[in-house]
Amino acid sequence: MKRFLAAVGLTLLGVGAVQAQSPAWPQKQVTVIVPFGAGGTTDLFARIVAEQLQAKYGKPFVIENRPGAGGNIGTTAAAKATPDGHTLLVGTVSTHAINPFLYKNLPHDAEKDFIPITGLAKLPNLLVVNPKIPVKTFAEFVDYAKQNPGKLNYGSSGAGTSQHLAAELFQLKTGAKMTHVPFRSSQDIVNGLIGGHIDLAFDNMTIAWPQAQGGTVRALAVTSTERSPQAPEIPTVAETLSGFDATSWNGLWAPAGTPQAIVDTIAADVKAILEKPEVQKKAAELASTPAPMTPKQFADYIQSERQKWSEVVKTVGIQIGQ
C-alpha cells in the first residue's frame, strides 16, 4: 500500500511539473506590439491574427502601435516585456534581419531577446512612381534615374526597412543616385507620392497596388524573383536586373524566456488561422501569401535572411548611430 501511495504521489508530482511547464494561456489581455504605424501591411496582418485569437480565447488581444526608428522602438519594448505569452511582437524582415546589422548599439538583441513563433506573410514590394515621372516601363525608369542623378526622391517607412534597402540595392545595381525620404508608414508613403512630395517608392504591394489600380500612382515592377499572382502583368525587377530579390515578410515573436509550450500553442493557432479560407482570401486581397511555419522553421528562415541582408548592408555601406 505504501508503495502504491508513493507511486501515486510521484505521478501527481509529475503531473504538477508538466502543468508548471505548460501554463494555461492566455490568462489575461494579450498585447500585440506592432513597431510600425497603423494601416501598413504588418499592422493589417497583426489585426487579422489578433481578432481571430480573441474570438477563440475570449480574452482581449490588443494591438499597440509603437512606430519609430525603423521599428526599433516597438521591438525594444517587446524585448523588455514579461516573458509569459501576454506580450507578443509582430516584426518584419527589417526588425530581425536588417536592423541588427544597420544600427549600432541597439538596446535589444534581435536574436537573443526573442523566440521566433511563426511566419505570417510574404509579399513583394512594388516599385511605384508619381504619374508625372515620364516613364512607362521599368527599363525606361532605369535610364531616367541614371540620367537624372540626385533629382529623384524615394520614400520608405524608415531607414533600414525593406523598402529602403530595395531602393539602395537598385542604386547599387544601376549606379543611379536618389534621395531617401523616410516616413512612418506605408500609408504616409502613398500620401507623399500622391501629393508629389516624393517621386517613387519600393512600397508594400498591400498598400501600393490598389493605388496603382486606381491610377494615383504608376506600377513598374515587383521586387520578388517571380511575378505576383495578384498582378501577373507587372514584371519583376529581376527580369531587367538579374538576381534582384527584395521580398518583404512579417512574423510573430515572443520575448525570450516565454515557455515553449505557449510558443508552440500560438504557432499552431496561427497556422490554423492562416489556413482558413476567409483569411486566405483576405491575404490575396492584400497582395500577399500566408507563410505559417513551425518555430524551428521560422528560426531557420530568419537566419537565412539575416545572412543575405547583412551582406547587402555591408556592401552598400549603410550604418545608423555612433
Side-chain angles (χ1 to χ4, degrees):
M1 179 61 72
K2 290 182 179 180
R3 289 181 179 178
F4 173 78
L5 292 174
V8 171
L10 288 173
T11 300
L12 291 174
L13 284 172
V15 171
V18 171
Q19 290 175 338
Q21 294 171 2
S22 305
W25 178 89
Q27 299 178 345
K28 58 182 180 179
Q29 172 184 304
V30 176
T31 298
V32 182
I33 295 177
V34 177
F36 301 99
T41 307
T42 304
D43 178 71
L44 292 172
F45 268 94
R47 293 178 188 277
I48 289 172
V49 171
E51 180 181 332
Q52 293 278 336
L53 289 173
Q54 180 168 298
K56 175 175 181 177
Y57 288 105
K59 300 288 186 181
F61 280 73
V62 178
I63 301 296
E64 184 177 306
N65 294 98
R66 302 189 67 168
N72 291 327
I73 291 176
T75 302
T76 296
K80 295 179 179 179
T82 302
D84 60 1
H86 293 96
T87 299
L88 304 175
L89 174 73
V90 177
T92 65
V93 58
S94 297
T95 61
H96 282 73
I98 297 174
N99 288 359
F101 311 102
L102 184 72
Y103 288 84
K104 286 186 176 181
N105 304 318
L106 281 176
H108 66 267
D109 187 313
E111 186 171 16
K112 295 180 180 179
D113 291 345
F114 291 94
I115 297 178
I117 299 176
T118 184
L120 293 179
K122 294 181 181 180
L123 64 159
N125 289 328
L126 179 68
L127 170 59
V128 289
V129 298
N130 185 293
K132 73 178 183 180
I133 303 299
V135 298
K136 300 293 184 180
T137 68
F138 178 70
E140 290 177 354
F141 173 75
V142 172
D143 290 338
Y144 184 80
K146 292 169 67 175
Q147 292 166 8
N148 292 274
K151 295 182 179 180
L152 293 176
N153 298 325
Y154 71 91
S156 81
S157 57
T161 59
S162 63
Q163 301 127 316
H164 177 207
L165 285 194
E168 291 291 348
L169 186 59
F170 167 80
Q171 293 179 94
L172 187 66
K173 285 184 171 291
T174 62
K177 301 297 180 183
M178 306 184 297
T179 301
H180 181 210
V181 181
F183 292 86
R184 293 174 70 87
S185 71
S186 287
Q187 191 59 57
D188 290 337
I189 295 172
V190 170
N191 292 338
L193 272 170
I194 295 174
H197 304 298
I198 56 174
D199 302 303
L200 67 127
F202 288 81
D203 199 12
N204 292 331
M205 279 199 69
T206 304
I207 304 298
W209 179 232
Q211 295 294 332
Q213 290 176 303
T216 57
V217 299
R218 181 179 299 132
L220 298 181
V222 295
T223 61
S224 52
T225 55
E226 297 180 354
R227 294 194 180 197
S228 168
Q230 286 74 35
E233 68 274 26
I234 304 299
T236 67
V237 173
E239 289 174 36
T240 300
L241 301 178
S242 179
F244 192 100
D245 179 19
T247 301
S248 183
W249 51 266
N250 50 46
L252 196 62
W253 283 261
T258 301
Q260 189 64 44
I262 293 177
V263 170
D264 292 339
T265 294
I266 298 172
D269 286 342
V270 172
K271 182 176 186 294
I273 289 169
L274 295 178
E275 290 175 345
K276 289 185 176 182
E278 63 269 29
V279 174
Q280 295 267 344
K281 180 180 178 182
K282 182 63 176 177
E285 292 172 357
L286 295 175
S288 62
T289 303
M293 307 177 203
T294 66
K296 176 63 165 59
Q297 289 171 335
F298 190 36
D300 290 344
Y301 179 71
I302 295 167
Q303 285 300 323
S304 67
E305 286 287 280
R306 284 170 63 89
Q307 180 177 352
K308 177 177 73 176
W309 287 114
S310 66
E311 293 173 356
V312 172
V313 169
K314 181 178 179 180
T315 300
V316 175
I318 312 171
Q319 194 159 61
I320 299 173
Q322 299 300 321

